[in-house]
Amino acid sequence: MTLLAADWQFSPWRATQARLTSEQRGTAEAEKLTKEDKGVAAALHPECDVLQQLERDQRRCLRLIEEHSNASTTGCLPEWDILVCWQAAAVGETVQVSCPSVFSYFSNRTGTVSRNCSSDGWSRPFPPYHVACSVEDDIPEESYFATVKLIYSVGYGASLVSLSVAVVILLVFRGLRCARNYIHIQLFLTFILKSVGVFIKDAVLFAEDTDHCSLSTAACKAAVVFCHYCVMCNFSWLLVEALYINCLLLVAVPRNRRCLWAFSLLGWGVPLVFILLWIGSRLSFEDTECWDINEDSQYWWIIKGPIVVSIGVNFLLFMNIIRILVQKLNPRLIHFNNSSHYRRLTKSTLLLIPLFGTHYMVFNFLPDYFNMNLRLCIELCLGSFQGLVVAVLYCFLNQEVQSELQVRWLRWHESSYGTVPSRGKGSQMDTPF
C-alpha cells in the first residue's frame, strides 16, 4: 500500500519536548485519553507510548505528593520534575534514579541521575539529564525525515504546477478533445488533488504547535479523509487508463458518452463508496485520534484492499499490453533483432510504467512497515514525482499537443506580424495511447 506523506513527517523529539512542557499544566488533559485510544496511538508512533508512560508516572507521583502533604515530615517531600518522581528523602540524603524511559527512544545507553536533599530542599539533578542519558542534540531520525519531507514536498509541488498547466492545455485546445485525453485529464486531476491533499494533511496534522498523540478534531479528520479519497481516486484512474489502453489494443472502444460515464463512475464513484464505508466504520468502532493511525486496524482494509487489488490488476494489464506490443511489432516472432523494434518496445514500456503506477508493485504485497527507509524513498520521494513524469510524457512531449501548440503559434505570429516563422522540428516522442 502506498504511504501517505504526512504519516512520516512527524518529528518525535519536537513532539516529546512540547508534550513534556504541557505536563506542567496538570493531569486534567491527560485523563481525556482512554486506554484504548492510547493503545491505538502508540501502535504507529512509539514516542506516544513513552509519553503515555510519563502521564501514568505523573499521576502516581501527584497522588504520592498528596499523601505526604498532610503528613508532618522533615526533609524533602516527593517531587515531580516533569520526567521523574523523586521519593521523599531525609536531609543530607542523596537519591539516585535511572534515566526515565523517554530517553530510551533516542539512545540505547542509559545512565543515572542524582539529587541531594538539603535543608533548602532538592538540589538540581546531577549530572543533567541530557548528559547522563546520552541525548544528542542532532537526532538522525529527525534529520532523515526532514530530508524526506523536503524531497516529497518539491516533488508534489512540481507535479502540481506541471499537471495544472497540462490540464489547461488539454482543455483549451479543441483539437485535443477526445476520449483518450478526457481520461488523461481525469488522471491529471487526481494527481493534483493528491498533491493538495498531502499538503493540507501536513499543514493540519503536523503544525509546529500540534500534539499529534492527542489531536482529534473535525478538521484533522476531514484532512485525512480527503487525502485518502484523493489517493484512492488516483489509483482508480490509473486502473481506468490501463483498461482503456487494453480495450484500445484489443477491440474498438465505444466513443459514446455512456462509456465515459462508466469510466467516471469507476474513477470517482467507487472510491467514494469505500471512503464512506470507512468513515462509517471509524465513527462507529474506531473514532480515535485523527484517523491517521491504521496499523492493526481491520477497517483499514476498506481503503487498502481496493488499492492493493487495483495495483495487482494494473500489473496484469501492463504485462498483457507488453505482450500485445511484442506481437504487433513482430507478428511472426522472427527477425526480431531489428534495433528499431527494440527501441519502440522499450519506449512504449517505459511510457506505461508511470501511467499505470507499476512501480507500486515493488512493495504492494509486503507488510506495511517492511524496510521503511527504502520504502520511504520509493513511495514518497520517487512517487511524488510521478505526476510530473506523467504530465511531461503524456502532454508536453506528446506529438499531438506539440503540433497543436505549433499551429496556434503560427496563427498568432501570422496575425501579429504578417509573417510565418520557419517550422521547427517537433519531438519524436509519440504517445498513441
Side-chain angles (χ1 to χ4, degrees):
M1 160 82 200
T2 183
L3 300 176
L4 300 184
D7 291 337
W8 303 103
Q9 185 263 343
F10 182 61
S11 171
W13 179 236
R14 182 178 69 234
T16 301
Q17 290 177 316
R19 185 58 175 270
L20 292 180
T21 302
S22 69
E23 295 294 345
Q24 298 174 341
R25 297 194 296 253
T27 60
E29 294 182 2
E31 297 292 346
K32 293 181 181 179
L33 287 176
T34 64
K35 183 178 180 180
E36 178 183 2
D37 295 343
K38 293 177 180 180
V40 175
L44 183 59
H45 302 291
E47 67 279 359
C48 294
D49 188 34
V50 175
L51 297 175
Q52 293 156 16
Q53 180 62 44
L54 284 175
E55 291 177 352
R56 291 190 289 269
D57 293 343
Q58 182 191 24
R59 289 195 293 271
R60 284 195 295 266
C61 189
L62 292 178
R63 288 194 296 267
L64 183 63
I65 294 173
E66 185 178 358
E67 292 173 0
H68 281 75
S69 62
N70 297 326
S72 57
T73 59
T74 60
C76 299
L77 296 175
E79 181 178 289
W80 172 255
D81 68 350
I82 305 178
L83 292 174
V84 173
C85 184
W86 296 90
Q87 303 291 332
V91 175
E93 183 180 357
T94 298
V95 179
Q96 187 178 72
V97 297
S98 300
C99 288
S101 58
V102 64
F103 292 101
S104 65
Y105 186 78
F106 309 105
S107 174
N108 292 327
R109 297 169 55 190
T110 59
T112 58
V113 180
S114 303
R115 293 182 75 178
N116 289 328
C117 177
S118 65
S119 57
D120 296 328
W122 286 107
S123 67
R124 290 180 176 272
F126 62 90
Y129 285 113
H130 68 278
V131 175
C133 303
S134 303
V135 177
E136 301 177 358
D137 293 334
D138 183 19
I139 305 300
E141 290 82 1
E142 181 176 3
S143 176
Y144 175 76
F145 286 123
T147 302
V148 170
K149 181 180 184 298
L150 176 62
I151 294 175
Y152 79 65
S153 297
V154 172
Y156 282 121
S159 298
L160 180 62
V161 174
S162 60
L163 289 165
S164 299
V165 175
V167 169
V168 171
I169 292 175
L170 295 180
L171 288 176
V172 168
F173 300 123
R174 293 185 177 181
L176 299 176
R177 296 177 184 177
C178 60
R180 180 185 70 254
N181 286 337
Y182 168 82
I183 296 175
H184 287 345
I185 290 174
Q186 305 302 313
L187 179 63
F188 292 174
L189 288 176
T190 63
F191 277 113
I192 292 173
L193 292 175
K194 180 181 176 181
S195 301
V196 173
V198 167
F199 288 137
I200 292 176
K201 186 179 179 183
D202 278 358
V204 174
L205 266 68
F206 303 103
E208 290 293 332
D209 57 347
T210 296
D211 179 7
H212 183 83
C213 294
S214 61
L215 179 66
S216 181
T217 63
C220 72
K221 293 176 181 178
V224 171
V225 170
F226 178 71
C227 191
H228 286 338
Y229 177 68
C230 295
V231 170
M232 289 196 71
C233 288
N234 183 245
F235 281 100
S236 294
W237 279 101
L238 289 174
L239 178 60
V240 170
E241 289 277 5
L243 292 173
Y244 178 80
I245 295 176
N246 270 268
C247 294
L248 196 65
L249 293 174
L250 295 175
V251 295
V253 179
R255 300 182 181 274
N256 53 30
R257 291 181 178 271
R258 183 175 300 177
C259 177
L260 297 181
W261 274 109
F263 285 146
S264 298
L265 183 62
L266 174 60
W268 299 108
V270 173
L272 180 61
V273 172
F274 284 102
I275 282 292
L276 292 177
L277 290 175
W278 182 72
I279 293 174
S281 65
R282 291 304 298 253
L283 286 173
S284 302
F285 307 106
E286 286 185 357
D287 190 11
T288 58
E289 312 305 329
C290 271
W291 298 356
D292 59 321
I293 301 172
N294 300 292
E295 187 185 14
D296 298 328
S297 172
Q298 57 183 340
Y299 304 106
W300 177 236
W301 280 96
I302 299 176
I303 291 179
K304 181 178 178 179
I307 292 178
V308 171
V309 172
S310 66
I311 293 175
V313 173
N314 262 16
F315 182 75
L316 295 177
L317 295 175
F318 172 79
M319 299 303 297
N320 184 56
I321 290 177
I322 299 303
R323 179 186 63 83
I324 296 175
L325 290 177
V326 170
Q327 294 178 349
K328 286 183 175 292
L329 289 175
N330 195 1
R332 297 181 180 180
L333 296 179
I334 59 175
H335 305 303
F336 196 69
N337 292 326
N338 192 329
S339 59
S340 63
H341 287 172
Y342 282 113
R343 286 196 298 269
R344 292 175 60 191
L345 179 60
T346 302
K347 183 180 70 174
S348 300
T349 303
L350 294 177
L351 284 172
L352 291 174
I353 289 176
L355 187 66
F356 283 18
T358 309
H359 59 285
Y360 288 120
M361 280 296 298
V362 177
F363 289 105
N364 187 35
F365 297 104
L366 294 177
D368 283 344
Y369 297 94
F370 175 82
N371 199 339
M372 290 313 310
N373 289 342
L374 178 60
R375 190 161 188 160
L376 283 175
C377 292
I378 292 179
E379 296 196 8
L380 284 184
C381 298
L382 295 182
S384 64
F385 288 92
Q386 183 183 0
L388 173 63
V389 174
V390 169
V392 171
L393 294 181
Y394 287 88
C395 182
F396 302 138
L397 293 182
N398 186 288
Q399 207 167 35
E400 293 180 1
V401 173
Q402 292 186 346
S403 298
E404 186 69 23
L405 291 174
Q406 194 173 46
V407 169
R408 292 303 182 97
W409 165 255
L410 292 175
R411 291 178 181 175
W412 177 83
H413 202 280
E414 183 178 5
S415 62
S416 300
Y417 301 99
T419 60
V420 179
S422 57
R423 182 184 294 266
K425 185 178 180 180
S427 171
Q428 296 301 312
M429 177 67 73
D430 183 23
T431 56
F433 304 132

